[in-house]
Amino acid sequence: MCTALARKVWTSLFRHSFISSKRNLSTIKVNSFLSKKHSASSYCITATRFSSSGCYELIRSDHVQRYLNSIYTECSTLNEQLQNGQILDEKKNEYFASNVRIFRVLDELFQTQKDYKELQQLLNDTSDKDLQSAASDESKVFMNALEKSSEEVLALLVPDEPEDSADLVFELTAGVGGQEAMLFCGEMLQMYLNFCAYKGWTTGAVSIDKTDIGGIRQASAEVSGNGVYKWMKFESGVHRVQRVPKTERSGRLHTSTVTVAILPQPKEINIEIRDKDLKIDTFRASGPGGQKVNKTDSAVRVTHLPTGTVSECQETRSQHDNKKRALDKLKFRIYQKQYELEVDKRQRNRKIQVGAAGRSEKIRTYNFPQDRITDHRLNDNFHHIDEFLLGSDSLEAMLLALQYESRKERLLEIVGNQ
Amino acid sequence: MMRRRIVNVLESTRRLFLRRGIPENDVSAKYLIAHCLGMKSLNSLDKLDPRSTMSKEEQTMLNDLMKKRLSRIPIQYLVEEWDFQDFSLKMKQPVLIPRPETELLVDLIVREAAMYDPFGCFVEIGCGSGCISLSLLRQLTHSSCVAIDQSETACQLTMQNSVELKLNQRIQVFHHKLTEQSMSELVDFLRSFRVEFIVSNPPYVPSDEFERLEDEIRLYEDRAALDGGPDGLDVIKVILAFADRLLLPNRDLWLEVDEHHPPLIEDWIEKQGIGMKMKNVLKDQFNRVRFCHLRKQ
């Protein structure tokens, strides 16, 4: 067995590209994982910049192991029964169907674990220096595979939330701090616009409320693209900046704030709005109509009676068109209301929140003198504010960390409930 | 003449219109001022800084328009343009100004359009500004159309609008008055086209009611586009006969009519032995009976 494994190790060395034995897994440059082509569904990375537990670590925690093992054993039994030509009852069939994908990935994972253990054995048993170094390199490859399988398992266990595939509107508002807040608001706008370009997303309808003295009071933009809401949702909240303003003579540190709101705009709002639930107010309500009347007031107000949501439009000179626009706005507003209720319900107990509840929370502090960015939902600090404000890989790393933490939290929710 | 604040001009114009009994004094003032400032949307006007002013030239332009409005000339003729569905059309006195009900007629036809040959042709009788035909051409992207109107001004306006909307290749406009006598010629001409449906917003106001309409309509819009005779059915009757002769079986006629017309139309069809059947009578967005959908048997 030893020779067979040794052969396997040697041949694999030529097939895989491996990392030099001097470097340890945890110091892989972040960039190699965070290329622009990084798929939106993959969220787990193992760089040192933040929390050191990877996906595999997460899987191996007690709760999760127990949960996964129960799925695996149950599915194994069912699988065997199916192989033997047995017919399963409806409930069992459903269970198997909804868990078969995790089952297959777990199968792969457990197999890799087995191989890895054998390799560790080899490492311990041999004293051949060359074989040892080759085997230790090979174990890095196995770790990668384990991480990858773990990522897949987690993605299956903790799927995307329904609004993750939506487009979004982001709004920045300068808060307390006067001009400082407005200046930083401008810097944050630039950061986000850069980030959108970095990710290859499309921005539109950019509206900026500038001030005469520099900086901006408010800004908003629409962003569309793959996974935009999923990435940006954790930016909602109050961002705090601590720095000495350029105009400050006594070198005193000022604290100012910028509020960020991220509003999902799903591509299709599947809200059923029945005609009879709508009250439409237009100028021409009574009296004769058709050719007998010529009115120029084209304003329309639409009220959704069940929810009391109202929307108005007088943008065009066609009542017909204004009505369409008012209905679209109405749908969006009803959706927002529904969304906020739903999200609040879902997230009541979470540390990492988005939506209305999350919007007034202080989520991040940028401390310029110490060149440190602290996201209050994460354990580690980030540095190099200048680089961060460029809105590329540094911001991306933080957002990945937040996605990961959020997923972790949701995972424990799921697993804990069993 | 000094520069004046827009908010003040707006208020004084509105008050003047109110005093002189001009309908929609608020909206009239807004649209005229917006037009002088080069804007089309009332929203743009609302968004202006309250301290914005109007120049001497803009005020002069406004004064001229104000005088005309005081004579009850419709806003649409003064700004020479209006919106229909999601696009704009040039307006020109005395060509009939499109009504919102007609926007719904277009929607109703498009909704049923699956049953028509997408590469076929439709005919409009009395195209006016071209709103119906051009709106249909925008949505039925493979169709073509023949439009006729008895007013040369209307024909020119339809052609002008078709060019602006880049639809002129798909529409032919003829200056022609449809009568019992002239019908044969038109039917012969159109037989070579694959006519899927005929549409019309014919004059349907009964003559005595016409006299009681507001000045904007009575004094400035083309009477021939509105006055449908004693019962408002004169032109509709001609169109029914025309449709009966031109349409192949299972092709349609769509009409915008007056509220009390549908039963009268059904009686007429029966009495005259017209080979058409009333497939559907539909209401408009103000809940009034407004549209007839007829099918050639």
Side-chain angles (χ1 to χ4, degrees), chain A residues 151-165:
Chain A
E151 273 179 43
E152 275 187 69
V153 169
L154 283 175
L156 288 169
L157 267 186
V158 188
D160 280 352
E161 306 213 76
E163 56 285 347
D164 280 351
S165 59

Side-chain angles (χ1 to χ4, degrees), chain A residues 282-298 313-321 323-325, chain B residues 24 27 31 40-41 43 46 76 81-83 85 99-101 103 107 201-202 204 209 213-214 217 226 258 286 288 290:
Chain A
T282 57
F283 185 83
R284 198 193 311 199
S286 55
Q291 290 174 358
K292 302 175 188 174
V293 175
N294 173 27
K295 288 282 172 269
T296 54
D297 190 337
S298 58
C313 184
Q314 61 162 15
E315 214 164 308
T316 76
R317 297 169 295 196
S318 152
Q319 201 183 77
H320 183 271
D321 206 46
K323 185 170 150 192
K324 274 207 182 132
R325 290 166 190 240
Chain B
E24 302 188 287
V27 178
Y31 272 124
K40 297 187 188 194
S41 166
N43 266 359
D46 284 344
Q76 294 95 333
E81 191 185 78
W82 209 246
D83 292 338
Q85 296 213 328
R99 311 300 203 238
E101 289 88 343
E103 292 179 292
D107 275 357
N201 176 20
Y204 58 74
E209 279 188 57
L213 296 180
E214 60 182 358
I217 304 176
L226 292 158
D258 195 24
F286 307 105
R288 292 189 196 95
R290 184 61 64 202

Side-chain angles (χ1 to χ4, degrees), chain A residues 69 87 93 125 127 159 178 191 196 218 260 262 274 345 380:
Chain A
N69 280 333
I87 299 182
N93 241 329
D125 292 346
S127 54
M191 174 177 78
C196 294
Q218 222 187 32
V260 177
I262 308 280
R274 298 181 302 180
K345 231 192 309 174
D380 295 321

Side-chain angles (χ1 to χ4, degrees), chain A residues 163-291:
Chain A
E163 56 285 347
D164 280 351
S165 59
D167 292 341
L168 62 83
V169 169
F170 77 74
E171 288 174 359
L172 302 179
T173 315
V176 281
Q179 186 182 12
E180 254 298 281
M182 295 195 273
L183 284 170
F184 196 64
C185 192
E187 288 167 73
M188 284 189 77
L189 174 67
Q190 198 55 61
M191 174 177 78
Y192 288 130
L193 291 176
N194 288 349
F195 187 65
C196 294
Y198 171 76
K199 297 291 284 178
W201 297 331
T202 318
T203 46
V206 181
S207 145
I208 305 177
D209 188 1
K210 292 201 183 111
T211 71
D212 295 330
I213 47 174
I216 61 179
R217 263 189 220 101
Q218 222 187 32
S220 68
E222 291 173 1
V223 188
S224 60
N226 197 7
V228 300
Y229 186 71
K230 188 172 147 175
W231 275 91
M232 296 280 286
K233 62 184 179 181
F234 300 110
E235 293 303 279
S236 253
V238 177
H239 296 238
R240 202 168 52 157
V241 57
Q242 294 166 326
R243 70 178 168 188
V244 179
K246 290 193 190 84
T247 53
E248 173 66 41
R249 265 173 290 150
S250 60
R252 212 164 32 102
L253 192 69
H254 281 225
T255 303
S256 45
T257 64
V258 173
T259 306
V260 177
I262 308 280
L263 307 162
Q265 274 197 314
K267 297 178 189 55
E268 284 166 18
I269 298 185
N270 292 320
I271 295 183
E272 214 191 276
I273 297 183
R274 298 181 302 180
D275 276 348
K276 61 183 174 131
D277 288 338
L278 294 175
K279 180 167 84 111
I280 306 199
D281 291 312
T282 57
F283 185 83
R284 198 193 311 199
S286 55
Q291 290 174 358

